[in-house]
C-alpha cells in the first residue's frame, strides 16, 4: 500500500534539494511545494550557480532537480578552465554527480520528447518531471527518487558527452 504524499520517512523529509531553473517562478513554485513537506531547498537560476553550490555547500545535497534547457546568460567565450560553466541540464547533472557522489537527479522540461532527443537522452534513464506539473506529481517523484539507492555514474571513455550510463 502506498503512503500518502505527506507520510514519508524522517530521513527523506530532511533531504536537501537543489532546484535549478532559468525561470524564477519555477524555482519559487518548487520551494513552495517542497518546503512544507520538510525538505531543505537550495536555489540556482542557472548551471554556473548550481555548480558553485555543489562545490561549496558544506551540507549534503540529496537531489538535483534541474530544467533540461538552461540557456547561458548572454554571450560567453568557451573556456576549458571555467570551473563553473553555463551548460544545459543534462551536462549539469553529469558534472554535479561527479562532484557529489550519490547525488540523485531529476530532470524537468516543458517539451520532453523533443528536448530529451536533442540531448541524446533516452526516456526512462533518469527520473523526469514534465512541466507544467502539479504538487502531487512533484512531491511523489522526489519521494520515489529518495527511496531509491544512491546512483552511481559510469563515465565511459570514448563516448560522446551525452552517452552517459546512469545506474540507480
Amino acid at each position: 500500500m502506498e503512503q500518502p504524499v505527506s507520510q514519508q520517512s524522517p530521513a527523506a523529509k530532511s533531504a536537501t534539494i537543489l532546484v535549478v531553473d532559468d525561470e524564477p517562478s519555477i524555482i519559487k513554485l518548487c520551494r513552495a511545494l517542497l518546503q512544507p513537506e520538510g525538505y531543505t531547498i537550495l536555489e540556482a537560476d542557472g548551471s554556473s550557480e548550481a555548480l558553485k553550490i555543489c562545490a561549496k555547500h558544506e551540507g549534503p545535497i540529496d537531489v538535483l532537480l534541474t530544467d533540461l534547457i538552461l540557456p547561458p546568460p548572454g554571450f560567453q567565450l568557451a573556456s576549458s578552465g571555467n570551473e563553473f560553466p553555463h551548460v544545459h541540464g543534462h551536462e549539469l547533472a553529469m558534472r554535479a554527480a561527479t562532484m557529489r557522489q550519490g547525488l540523485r537527479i531529476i530532470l524537468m522540461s516543458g517539451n520532453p520528447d523533443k528536448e530529451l532527443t536533442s540531448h541524446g537522452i533516452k526516456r526512462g534513464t533518469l527520473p523526469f518531471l514534465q512541466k507544467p506539473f502539479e504538487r502531487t506529481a512533484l512531491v511523489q517523484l522526489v519521494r520515489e527518487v529518495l527511496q531509491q539507492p544512491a546512483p552511481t555514474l559510469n563515465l565511459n571513455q570514448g563516448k560522446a558527452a551525452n552517452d552517459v550510463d546512469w545506474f540507480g
Side-chain angles (χ1 to χ4, degrees):
M1 184 170 154
E2 251 181 78
Q3 297 176 353
V5 172
S6 62
Q7 292 182 353
Q8 298 178 40
S9 70
K13 288 189 87 120
S14 64
T16 299
I17 302 168
L18 173 55
V19 179
V20 186
D21 202 299
D22 59 316
E23 295 181 36
S25 61
I26 298 294
I27 294 172
K28 288 178 184 174
L29 175 64
C30 290
R31 181 177 12 123
L33 298 177
L34 294 170
Q35 273 184 335
E37 294 295 320
Y39 298 113
T40 299
I41 306 301
L42 304 174
E43 304 174 6
D45 61 5
S47 58
S48 180
E49 185 179 347
L51 290 169
K52 287 176 189 172
I53 291 170
C54 285
K56 298 176 186 211
H57 181 71
E58 292 184 13
I61 301 175
D62 302 291
V63 178
L64 171 67
L65 173 60
T66 182
D67 191 15
L68 185 57
I69 303 299
L70 294 171
F75 176 78
Q76 68 177 15
L77 294 173
S79 168
S80 61
N82 184 358
E83 187 178 359
F84 308 115
H86 295 282
V87 293
H88 60 76
H90 186 248
E91 177 75 13
L92 168 61
M94 291 187 305
R95 289 173 182 256
T98 61
M99 297 168 78
R100 294 270 178 167
Q101 292 298 318
L103 180 68
R104 292 160 174 88
I105 308 295
I106 300 174
L107 295 176
M108 58 182 164
S109 173
N111 190 357
D113 292 326
K114 178 183 175 191
E115 292 170 5
L116 288 171
T117 302
S118 71
H119 290 287
I121 304 168
K122 295 176 188 167
R123 195 182 260 283
T125 56
L126 285 173
F128 191 82
L129 182 65
Q130 183 166 343
K131 295 179 190 175
F133 51 84
E134 294 182 6
R135 176 192 166 277
T136 54
L138 173 63
V139 173
Q140 183 69 27
L141 183 58
V142 168
R143 187 179 91 197
E144 289 171 6
V145 165
L146 286 167
Q147 289 176 347
Q148 298 298 318
T152 58
L153 178 62
N154 182 15
L155 293 172
N156 291 333
Q157 299 296 338
K159 286 188 170 187
N162 289 344
D163 292 339
V164 175
D165 296 326
W166 293 89
F167 299 97

